[in-house]
């Protein structure tokens, strides 16, 4: 499935999608950045509640296909711009990480 | 002596906003060189963890990335406090990070283990009170 499908099929809200056609394979959930760095796989959807500028750097370097901010967590506008520049897709949802993963799992 | 490309960075200490910038730039440079996504990812992860460690534990330092025909070498050099017990620091979960740093998502004690895991070779030269130099090699 593609990042755009997260919006169209699953109803997650786009925050920024510079690379909407990117394919998603699998999912990783975590808020501790070094765990994500070490354990997330390339092309995963990364679900987290950690939203600061380091989230964007980790997403870019770990090469995940998108970040999904759970529990209605928001992102500062300046960080959204950084993400846009770095080609990092970010979406949000009011669901918990668990609920979002269940929803994703049914669609993958 | 051999021909190689060098990317040099000064890493700002205690600046969490720009933290990771050198790694992001290296990723971009390696992409332009046409290296494989797998290699780029390994270098990105290993370098980012080392860069962040210099920011949060050593008040910054310098980073050098050397691209050779057969390998990429990452050298992180700082004049921070040094690491007293390297074996302990390499264990998963060991961290001396402050609460404020932890609230940003750091401090899981997974950085050095990640650096070891994503590089083919890692050497740590450290002296308490003098600084730390970490050299990582990723084979192409
Ligand atoms: N450049 C450095 N200078 C001084 N001490 C360091 C340096 N790098 C690591 N350390 C020490 O080694 C410990 C373990 O490092 P490691 O990167 O594994 O974990 P962390 O940085 O504390 O947390 P994480 O990387 O998971 O965010 C650190 O908490 C710190 O005490
Ligand atoms: Mg670390």
């Amino acid at each position: 499935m593609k990042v755009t499908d997260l919006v169209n099929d699953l109803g997650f809200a786009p925050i920024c999608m510079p690379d909407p056609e990117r394919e998603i394979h699998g999912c990783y959930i975590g808020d501790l950045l070094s765990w994500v760095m070490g354990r997330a796989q390339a092309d995963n959807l990364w679900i987290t509640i950690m939203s600061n500028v380091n989230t964007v750097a980790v997403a870019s370097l770990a090469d995940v296909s998108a970040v999904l901010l759970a529990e209605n967590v928001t992102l500062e506008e300046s960080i959204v711009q950084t993400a846009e520049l770095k080609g990092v897709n970010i979406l949000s949802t009011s669901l918990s990480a668990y609920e979002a993963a269940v929803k994703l799992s049914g669609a993958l | 002596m051999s021909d190689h490309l060098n990317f040099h960075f000064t890493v700002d200490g205690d600046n969490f906003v720009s933290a990771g910038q050198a790694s992001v730039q290296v990723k971009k440079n390696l992409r332009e060189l046409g290296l494989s996504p797998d290699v780029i990812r390994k270098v990105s992860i290993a370098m980012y963890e080392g860069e962040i460690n210099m920011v949060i534990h050593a008040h910054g330092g310098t980073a050098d990335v050397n691209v050779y025909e057969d390998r990429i070498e990452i050298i992180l050099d700082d004049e921070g406090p040094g690491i007293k017990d390297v074996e302990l620091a390499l264990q998963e979960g060991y961290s001396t990070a402050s609460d404020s740093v932890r609230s940003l998502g750091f401090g899981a004690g997974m950085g050095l283990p990640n650096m070891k895991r994503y590089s083919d070779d890692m050497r740590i030269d450290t002296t308490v009170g003098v600084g730390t130099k970490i050299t990582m090699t990723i084979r192409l």
Side-chain angles (χ1 to χ4, degrees), chain A residues 5-103:
Chain A
D5 300 331
L6 295 175
V7 179
N8 299 331
D9 300 351
L10 302 186
F12 299 149
I15 292 181
C16 70
M17 291 208 302
D19 191 4
E21 295 301 307
R22 187 149 177 198
E23 286 285 338
I24 296 166
H25 297 285
C27 170
Y28 188 84
I29 302 177
D31 306 314
L32 297 176
L33 300 176
S34 291
W35 274 99
V36 179
M37 267 299 196
R39 302 297 161 95
Q41 289 171 9
D43 302 321
N44 277 177
L45 174 69
W46 170 25
I47 307 180
T48 185
I49 52 166
M50 183 58 69
S51 96
N52 60 47
V53 70
N54 305 297
T55 309
V56 176
V58 168
S60 166
L61 295 167
D63 207 17
V64 297
S65 47
V67 179
L68 178 64
L69 298 174
E71 315 265 11
N72 271 330
V73 163
T74 57
L75 196 60
E76 252 175 59
E77 184 49 38
S78 64
I79 302 174
V80 175
Q81 280 167 23
T82 306
E84 191 84 48
L85 277 175
K86 289 184 180 152
V88 175
N89 297 312
I90 303 185
L91 301 94
S92 79
T93 176
S94 58
L95 300 178
S96 70
Y98 168 71
E99 291 163 336
V102 168
K103 205 166 175 183

Side-chain angles (χ1 to χ4, degrees), chain B residues 1-9 26 30 33 35 39 42-44 46-47 62-77 118-123 133-140:
Chain B
M1 281 293 290
S2 63
D3 263 342
H4 70 274
L5 278 174
N6 169 264
F7 306 116
H8 177 82
F9 304 90
V26 164
L30 297 184
L33 288 174
L35 291 166
V39 165
K42 282 195 211 164
V43 172
S44 298
M47 176 159 174
T62 60
D64 280 280
V65 177
N66 298 314
V67 183
Y68 296 90
E69 197 80 39
D70 61 340
R71 69 190 189 281
I72 293 176
E73 191 180 73
I74 306 164
I75 303 170
L76 303 156
D77 205 350
Y118 284 93
S119 61
D120 294 306
D121 183 70
M122 176 164 89
R123 211 177 61 228
K133 181 176 171 181
I134 299 184
T135 308
M136 291 177 284
T137 306
I138 285 123
R139 281 193 292 273
L140 295 177

Side-chain angles (χ1 to χ4, degrees), chain B residues 98-132:
Chain B
S98 66
D99 285 349
S100 64
V101 164
R102 282 173 200 263
S103 73
L104 294 171
F106 302 113
M110 292 297 288
L112 283 170
N114 281 347
M115 290 157 73
K116 201 174 160 86
R117 187 152 159 240
Y118 284 93
S119 61
D120 294 306
D121 183 70
M122 176 164 89
R123 211 177 61 228
I124 303 178
D125 301 302
T126 183
T127 309
V128 171
V130 177
T132 302

Side-chain angles (χ1 to χ4, degrees), chain A residues 34, chain B residues 49 53 56-58 78 81-83 89 94-97 106-113 132:
Chain A
S34 291
Chain B
E49 295 287 8
N53 278 354
I56 67 182
H57 304 299
D78 69 61
I83 303 172
Y94 176 81
S95 174
T96 60
F106 302 113
M110 292 297 288
L112 283 170
T132 302

